[in-house]
Amino acid sequence: MTNDHNRRSFIKTAAAAGLLGGLAGCTRGGEQAQNSGGSTDGGESTDGGTSTASSSEPVIPLSEYDADIDWAQFEGSQINIGAVQHPWVSAIKPAIPVFEELTGIDVVWNILPENQFRTKRQTDVSTGAGQFDVFFMDQVVNQYRNEGWLQPLDPYFEDESLYDEAWYQPDDLFEASRWQAHGGGFSDEWTGLPITVEVQTQFYRTDLYEKHDLEVAETLEEFRQNAQTIHENESEAVGTVGRGQKGYGMNIFILNMLLREMGTSLWTEFPTDSGLDSSGVIDAATWYTNLLRDYGPDGASTQSWSDVLSTMQEGRAGHIVADANLFWPGLTGSESSVSDTVGIAKVPKPADGEFAPNAYNWQISTSKNAANSKQAFLFMLWATSEPTNTWMHLHSDAAFSVRQSVWENDEFRSQVGEEFAQVTLESLQSASPDPFDRKYPEWGQRYSEELQRALAGQKSPEAAMTTAAEVAEEIYSE
């Protein structure tokens, strides 16, 4: 592996911070607020604390934001940000004083565990309360857009006092990230701006590959053969491991990649024909089901992404067939028993199929009822700009940039390792993310339950996908 010393330093920092680290409660500026009065339900501050922006030099020179934008037009105002506990928050918070000095806008954070945040976010937008000027947005983007809760950003992009295209360089954002920020193809307008992206990659045990004289798989057929060789010849490790647990962010995150690689897609005709009972989807479900049932661990149908990660970390599997590139720090860090023997490669594809790794983006959005949506847009622009993105990725354990220039940055590549950076870059350039239609969380959950039944041997893949198709189409016919 290349640049081992620098990569190890990066991994050590990542492990110390925690892949899922975050700060709970309400804070201001770039630091944790000192809130002696505690917090009310939902995490709002109960004191009148002031911004913690430092009087020292900003960590990012303000000259980096020399754009044809009136950054100070809302000086003296305040924005409230609703966020989940996420590494992006930890990475950007030290730079928040830069935004506050640049704009004169005070930043207040409301950071909550993911499920609690989702409940509070929906209450905020559905009641018209408008508490959050900026908020994390995920698979429910088209549900929110369809309900009229989201504020499209296009009017702000068209406002010359708010936006400078030459400075912002929107084409530097990965195409897959821009696509998801347009409702995954369901909207012609910006529904928000992307802040993180994770793309599927293949992880494999280099020591077992050397032992059994295996080549890194480029095709699904080669991958299955490699998994079989390890499974049949190793007593302590199964051939492979992958997400089996139900959930629209769990097992179908993998299956959706496979069906696209096999030349099909979700929704042959939206919203009347889900395509889930097409031959391509059934073939994908059959391949994945057989792989895990033949060469996976006992109980593969109940494994979540964290189970997959720990199984590989503990040396109990030869591969992860396809999962988020963000597993790399956990697999090669001090928490892993196989840290020196894990390789990363692009996910395999059918011999006659298309390379199409899945990619997932968090974005930040604003609502039609937010009091400070223009201020929110300035924050989104600043937070997703090249200067801010580059600084975040050079000064923290962040490895989720939506900007191609960051993945091409020599200093960043040296920091995280050439192998990781190049595989991620090429995968992101070819990524094919899920289109989250307005009822995706509802029918996607049922679809995932049917896949889990197939993985558990309770149904054939064909019967499971036939039921999934019926359910998805019935949900839209109601």
Side-chain angles (χ1 to χ4, degrees):
M1 295 181 189
T2 57
N3 298 301
D4 190 66
H5 175 73
N6 288 333
R7 182 179 64 79
R8 292 288 174 204
S9 298
F10 162 73
I11 297 304
K12 184 176 180 181
T13 302
L19 285 175
L20 298 177
L23 301 170
C26 178
T27 64
R28 292 175 182 270
E31 304 295 336
Q32 180 76 29
Q34 298 300 314
N35 185 3
S36 59
S39 64
T40 61
D41 181 48
E44 292 97 358
S45 175
T46 57
D47 68 357
T50 59
S51 170
T52 58
S54 171
S55 59
S56 61
E57 287 296 314
V59 296
I60 309 173
L62 296 185
S63 60
E64 295 283 344
Y65 303 98
D66 185 15
D68 191 14
I69 294 172
D70 184 0
W71 290 109
Q73 61 186 294
F74 303 112
E75 184 174 5
S77 60
Q78 174 181 289
I79 57 171
N80 285 285
I81 301 177
V84 301
Q85 293 172 338
H86 191 281
W88 181 84
V89 176
S90 301
I92 201 168
K93 285 194 81 176
I96 292 299
V98 177
F99 174 78
E100 293 180 320
E101 183 171 344
L102 179 69
T103 63
I105 299 171
D106 189 26
V107 175
V108 178
W109 292 91
N110 299 268
I111 306 166
L112 299 166
E114 195 163 320
N115 287 337
Q116 187 179 349
F117 165 77
R118 285 188 169 116
T119 299
K120 192 168 182 65
R121 176 186 61 188
Q122 179 151 341
T123 300
D124 182 54
V125 298
S126 63
T127 62
Q131 175 196 352
F132 297 146
D133 300 301
V134 178
F135 48 82
F136 271 44
M137 177 51 58
D138 49 9
Q139 293 98 330
V140 298
V141 58
N142 281 304
Q143 176 194 350
Y144 279 42
R145 183 186 60 81
N146 188 65
E147 294 289 347
W149 295 336
L150 291 184
Q151 169 61 50
L153 301 185
D154 293 66
Y156 306 145
F157 278 110
E158 294 163 6
D159 186 331
E160 293 183 355
S161 72
L162 293 172
Y163 181 62
D164 180 350
E165 182 175 3
W167 173 81
Y168 185 69
Q169 302 175 63
D171 289 344
D172 186 34
L173 299 170
F174 286 106
E175 182 180 353
S177 297
R178 297 197 308 271
W179 183 78
Q180 282 206 330
H182 282 78
F186 285 95
S187 175
D188 293 330
E189 297 181 302
W190 290 87
T191 59
L193 286 178
I195 54 173
T196 70
V197 63
E198 53 194 79
V199 68
Q200 287 174 323
T201 48
Q202 173 189 172
F203 303 99
Y204 63 97
R205 290 273 300 279
T206 58
D207 56 334
L208 298 183
Y209 268 49
E210 291 175 8
K211 179 179 178 181
H212 299 291
D213 195 26
L214 301 176
E215 297 289 333
V216 176
E218 295 183 3
T219 68
L220 295 179
E221 295 80 0
E222 291 168 350
F223 186 91
R224 180 179 170 85
Q225 183 59 56
N226 288 351
Q228 180 181 1
T229 297
I230 292 172
H231 193 84
E232 293 178 350
N233 291 282
E234 294 293 327
S235 59
E236 301 298 325
V238 296
T240 191
V241 64
R243 302 185 192 202
Q245 177 65 272
K246 64 184 178 183
Y248 61 75
M250 284 294 176
N251 53 22
I252 59 175
F253 176 64
I254 310 301
L255 188 65
N256 288 348
M257 174 202 77
L258 295 171
L259 66 88
R260 283 191 286 270
E261 288 194 329
M262 291 183 178
T264 190
S265 63
L266 297 173
W267 293 107
T268 303
E269 172 125 9
F270 182 80
T272 57
D273 183 357
S274 69
L276 292 176
D277 54 358
S278 66
S279 60
V281 176
I282 292 170
D283 288 347
T286 300
W287 187 88
Y288 192 53
T289 296
N290 289 345
L291 178 76
L292 291 186
R293 287 183 61 77
D294 292 345
Y295 308 125
D298 291 339
S301 65
T302 64
Q303 287 207 311
S304 67
W305 68 262
S306 57
D307 299 320
V308 169
L309 177 60
S310 62
T311 300
M312 191 72 171
Q313 283 176 321
E314 293 164 7
R316 295 187 285 115
H319 308 83
I320 298 177
V321 57
D323 221 308
N325 63 316
L326 298 187
F327 279 12
W328 184 241
L331 291 172
T332 58
S334 59
E335 300 281 318
S336 175
S337 66
V338 294
S339 59
D340 294 319
T341 59
V342 173
I344 187 170
K346 292 188 285 189
V347 294
K349 63 180 183 63
D352 58 351
E354 179 183 359
F355 175 60
N358 206 342
Y360 173 69
N361 290 260
W362 278 104
Q363 68 180 50
I364 45 178
S365 301
T366 188
S367 73
K368 289 187 175 179
N369 292 304
N372 300 299
S373 286
K374 289 185 176 181
Q375 293 93 319
F377 178 74
L378 283 183
F379 176 82
M380 295 180 205
L381 215 62
W382 171 84
T384 60
S385 69
E386 183 276 323
T388 307
N389 249 242
T390 298
W391 183 88
M392 287 170 61
H393 284 77
L394 293 181
H395 294 85
S396 74
D397 60 319
F400 39 64
S401 180
V402 295
R403 285 191 169 269
Q404 181 164 296
S405 58
V406 171
W407 292 100
E408 294 173 336
N409 182 283
D410 289 340
E411 186 177 351
F412 176 69
R413 291 172 74 91
S414 175
Q415 182 172 296
V416 302
E418 282 287 335
E419 183 179 38
F420 171 74
Q422 189 61 29
V423 167
T424 298
L425 175 60
E426 292 179 12
S427 298
L428 284 169
Q429 289 171 332
S430 300
S432 181
D434 288 339
F436 300 128
D437 61 79
R438 66 184 185 271
K439 293 188 178 182
Y440 180 83
E442 184 179 355
W443 68 260
Q445 181 67 27
R446 299 288 299 279
Y447 162 38
S448 74
E449 291 169 1
E450 289 301 315
L451 177 59
Q452 185 181 44
R453 291 186 178 101
L455 290 166
Q458 298 168 358
K459 279 187 170 184
S460 70
E462 182 175 3
M465 293 302 99
T466 299
T467 300
E470 293 169 353
V471 168
E473 291 155 15
E474 182 179 342
I475 284 172
Y476 264 105
S477 67
E478 294 173 351

